[in-house]
Amino acid sequence: MRKFILLSVMAFSLGSLTACDGRHSTSEVKTEIESNGVTTVKTKTDENGVKTESGLELSHYAVRAALGQNPNTGGYVTVRNIGKDDDRLISVTCECAEKVELHTMKMDGDKMMMAPMPEGFEIKAGQTLELKPGSNHIMFIGLKTRPSDGDTLSLTLNFAKAGAVKIEAPVSNAPLSDASQHSGH
């Protein structure tokens, strides 16, 4: 049985921020967490007459436990764009590391090549972004705390339209299999 827990319902009305032309901005955000580990975010905005409607489902989120003395580790999430408009994952923050980057990863023969994606990843309406082991991922650089198997880390994913979304990511030695179980998929 699926249970939904309302994490937060926030309605922001910036009211009549009257500029010379009398336009105003409003924003409404609703965030829910489903008990099986899927976070759903829906945002409707009307900024100066430009209306957007975004919706995201975040699942399969996890962070790899820090291995040995490695000062870095990886993080993973699947983001499905269920909204009408494209969105972009532009950054991730976590107090556990000095720096957090979004990375691409590909194999060049037998050599693994990683590169930061400072512009983030676009998620077109109806499409899914998978950040997973051996592929595009989140990179935690200069760990301040060493995440261990069984821990949970607070991450903030920053989207161009949906804004900041906070999740609690489980830490695991085998994040792909644990993340699958965590989100019920």
Side-chain angles (χ1 to χ4, degrees):
M1 177 175 149
R2 292 183 173 187
K3 295 181 181 178
F4 291 94
I5 302 170
L6 185 58
L7 175 64
S8 64
V9 176
M10 300 180 289
F12 300 101
S13 177
L14 301 177
S16 291
L17 296 178
T18 321
C20 296
D21 60 3
R23 292 183 183 187
H24 66 280
S25 298
T26 59
S27 176
E28 181 181 322
V29 178
K30 180 179 179 182
T31 304
E32 296 178 4
I33 293 183
E34 190 174 328
S35 64
N36 72 356
V38 176
T39 300
T40 302
V41 180
K42 293 188 178 181
T43 308
K44 291 182 182 180
T45 59
D46 178 353
E47 296 187 30
N48 296 322
V50 177
K51 295 181 181 185
T52 60
E53 189 175 321
S54 65
L56 302 172
E57 286 183 350
L58 287 72
S59 63
H60 298 92
Y61 35 88
V63 174
R64 182 176 300 281
L67 302 174
Q69 294 304 310
N70 191 335
N72 309 324
T73 196
Y76 316 101
V77 64
T78 297
V79 182
R80 187 167 70 110
N81 187 338
I82 58 172
K84 295 180 179 179
D85 295 306
D86 298 346
D87 208 337
R88 178 175 290 277
L89 175 59
I90 52 178
S91 67
V92 177
T93 58
C94 180
E95 291 184 12
C96 70
E98 292 175 16
K99 188 174 172 182
V100 182
E101 295 179 344
L102 296 170
H103 274 201
T104 60
M105 204 287 300
K106 63 181 178 181
M107 295 301 292
D108 184 11
D110 61 345
K111 193 183 288 186
M112 179 175 56
M113 308 294 287
M114 288 191 292
M117 291 288 292
E119 70 280 3
F121 294 102
E122 182 176 35
I123 313 158
K124 294 197 174 286
Q127 299 289 314
T128 299
L129 168 67
E130 288 185 281
L131 302 181
K132 60 186 181 180
S135 184
N136 298 334
H137 59 278
I138 303 163
M139 194 75 194
F140 301 93
I141 300 169
L143 292 170
K144 296 177 187 176
T145 59
R146 302 201 51 81
S148 299
D149 191 36
D151 290 349
T152 301
L153 288 179
S154 295
L155 309 179
T156 302
L157 285 72
N158 300 295
F159 294 91
K161 293 188 177 151
V165 178
K166 294 185 180 196
I167 59 173
E168 297 296 318
V171 177
S172 173
N173 289 322
L176 184 59
S177 60
D178 289 354
S180 300
Q181 294 167 5
H182 172 71
S183 66
H185 292 3

